[in-house]
Amino acid sequence: MADAVLAVDFGTSNSAAAVLEAGHVRRLAIEAEAETLPTAVFFPVGGPMQIGQAATDALIDGEEGRYMRSLKSVLGTSLMHDARLIGGKRRSLAEVIAAFLTKLRERAEAQTGQQFRRALSGRPVHFHTADPERDARAEADLRGCYAAAGFDTVDFLPEPEAAARASTGEAGEVGLIVDIGGGTSDFTLFRRSDRIEIIASHGVRLGGTDFDHAISLSHVMPEFGLGGELTRTLGEGRLPVPKAIYVDLATWAMIPFLYTAEVRRMVDDLVAHAVDRPRLARLQSVLRDELGHDVAFAVERGKIAANGGARGEIALGLVEPGLAVPVTEGTMNAALGEAREVLVRAVYETLALAQTMPGGVDHVILVGGSSLMRVVSDVMRQVCPGARVSRAEAFTAVVDGLALATGE
């Protein structure tokens, strides 16, 4: 059945696929009986590429190879087409994304017995905030990846507009989809009648990986020397420890590019001049033993544990036995203060585009894995205090809506 359309939610952190069968959405178990799979790849030394949970398991099990996550965040950037040594072969990130989408298509075909040459893909409202040229380049990049993955045709639908199609509510109400994913935050105001009428959509480049980034910089990176000082080789006085390497270490997509001889030599020099050498030595060991993703996972787990009021910790025992950093909702909120302001501003900008006052919103629907963060629901209750706030299927609302849209 060559005309079958595969709905694909290619996400920063997780991906999903679905089809429409007899008017009903069928989510495909493209990951070991699961409806979503991590958007991650692992290139083992001397072996084939692994994706999803298998890729993450390979990293956790300590297999030798290259792990990559948050691939979507590089769309529209110069990193996309730079060839680098990955898995023993020079390849670009565009080729890596295409290989991931190829695996996803093949699994979908094996599940359904259909051949998919057409795709309806979700996309954020804006891949890049306030940069139309880069935004267009990002969509072109993704379109090229789908083509390289074996799709003859790909159409795009903004993710919050897809989620609106899958939402439920009362006839006549004005709803606001708040879709907080791994890399972007998207908003769609719509009116519900016999169909979904889209009033306005807006988005910003802010998501769960940015939450992790802020928490990592505020909680973990000081334990690796961020904020410390260096002695001068010549002369008196001290210099601050450079921040750039910590920014990259706290960024999922940049971690693999820190494992180079040049970066390690630079850190060795920092340790030699550090006022607090033990902390800088931790950074040295993270790069030497390639523990950057382990640290990122620890931050993510600590964030989840502290969400909702519990006291958590960021366990860093792999870096140094017994090392752990406490994290509470209070310290996390302090770290996420700037992100909260961006979210508030983005919601008001969405309402302005729709020429709607906050009181005109009847129903706020939270979508996306990062919408589970308490800061998101707090912001929505602050901006739209008269609206009822509910959660949709956090990880599958977008792919459900995409599948429904294939039947329109």
Side-chain angles (χ1 to χ4, degrees):
M1 188 172 174
D3 289 332
V5 182
L6 183 66
V8 181
D9 178 15
F10 173 61
T12 301
S13 299
N14 295 281
S15 293
V19 293
L20 193 66
E21 294 183 346
H24 298 284
V25 174
R26 177 187 172 189
R27 301 172 191 157
L28 303 181
I30 51 177
E31 167 75 307
E33 301 181 358
E35 293 177 338
T36 65
L37 80 163
T39 309
V41 299
F42 185 81
F43 290 92
V45 175
M49 181 189 77
Q50 299 176 41
I51 70 169
Q53 190 59 46
T56 303
D57 290 343
L59 172 73
I60 293 172
D61 292 342
E63 289 188 36
E64 188 177 352
R66 176 62 62 87
Y67 176 85
M68 307 182 81
R69 183 179 165 184
S70 295
L71 300 168
K72 188 177 178 180
S73 65
V74 302
L75 293 168
T77 73
S78 59
L79 288 174
M80 267 295 289
H81 303 287
D82 289 344
R84 299 171 183 266
L85 191 62
I86 301 173
K89 176 184 174 182
R90 292 192 68 80
R91 53 188 115 208
S92 68
L93 294 181
E95 291 174 305
V96 173
I97 293 173
F100 177 90
L101 291 172
T102 299
K103 291 274 192 183
L104 185 149
R105 176 181 57 77
E106 291 172 346
R107 292 184 181 185
E109 289 177 343
Q111 276 235 340
T112 61
Q114 296 176 311
Q115 183 183 48
F116 294 109
R117 291 295 177 264
R118 297 174 58 200
L120 178 62
S121 174
R123 58 150 291 169
V125 176
H126 300 299
F127 287 95
H128 298 275
T129 307
D131 193 337
E133 182 179 343
R134 181 176 284 189
D135 199 62
R137 192 160 66 245
E139 183 175 298
D141 283 343
L142 186 53
R143 187 181 297 278
C145 291
Y146 273 101
F151 292 94
D152 297 329
T153 304
V154 58
D155 295 307
F156 294 99
L157 181 66
E159 290 152 3
E161 296 183 15
R165 286 168 165 80
S167 67
T168 58
E170 299 174 5
E173 72 178 7
V174 173
L176 176 63
I177 296 289
V178 178
D179 180 7
I180 315 295
T184 56
S185 295
D186 293 310
F187 311 87
T188 286
L189 197 75
F190 67 95
R191 183 173 291 104
R192 191 186 305 280
S193 56
D194 55 340
R195 62 182 182 86
I196 296 296
E197 176 193 349
I198 304 299
I199 303 172
S201 294
H202 182 47
V204 293
R205 191 178 170 89
L206 174 79
T209 56
D210 299 289
F211 298 164
D212 293 350
H213 182 269
I215 294 166
S216 183
L217 285 177
S218 63
H219 289 67
V220 172
M221 296 305 154
E223 298 297 325
F224 298 162
L226 177 62
E229 293 182 317
L230 306 171
T231 59
R232 294 178 182 269
T233 303
L234 298 173
E236 299 180 354
R238 293 176 177 176
L239 297 170
V241 172
K243 186 177 181 180
I245 191 170
Y246 298 100
V247 171
D248 286 349
L249 186 58
T251 305
W252 277 100
M254 295 305 297
I255 292 171
F257 304 115
L258 294 175
Y259 302 145
T260 67
E262 181 184 1
V263 173
R264 290 187 178 104
R265 283 194 298 270
M266 182 187 73
V267 173
D268 290 345
D269 185 65
L270 293 179
V271 173
H273 292 85
V275 173
D276 189 343
R277 288 194 180 185
R279 291 180 188 268
L280 263 296
R282 292 170 179 163
L283 175 63
Q284 196 176 37
S285 67
V286 167
L287 299 182
R288 181 192 64 231
D289 300 331
E290 299 190 358
L291 298 175
H293 286 106
D294 296 278
V295 171
F297 275 119
V299 171
E300 190 175 55
R301 288 191 293 268
K303 174 191 72 175
I304 293 169
N307 188 44
R311 179 183 176 86
E313 69 172 22
I314 300 171
L316 301 169
L318 281 175
V319 179
E320 180 182 296
L323 181 62
V325 181
V327 56
T328 66
E329 191 170 57
T331 62
M332 197 159 62
N333 284 341
L336 298 178
E338 184 176 342
R340 182 187 182 105
E341 291 178 8
V342 171
L343 286 176
V344 169
R345 186 164 59 250
V347 176
Y348 278 120
E349 288 169 348
T350 306
L351 295 174
L353 286 171
Q355 299 183 339
T356 300
M357 298 295 290
V361 179
D362 302 307
H363 187 192
V364 173
I365 303 159
L366 304 180
V367 175
S370 296
S371 72
L372 300 174
M373 291 291 292
R374 189 178 207 174
V375 64
V376 176
S377 55
D378 286 349
V379 164
M380 295 317 307
R381 291 188 173 93
Q382 171 191 333
V383 177
C384 301
R388 76 181 190 281
V389 178
S390 65
R391 297 190 187 280
E393 294 286 344
F395 298 100
T396 58
V398 170
V399 81
D400 288 351
L402 289 169
L404 290 169
T406 66
E408 294 179 358

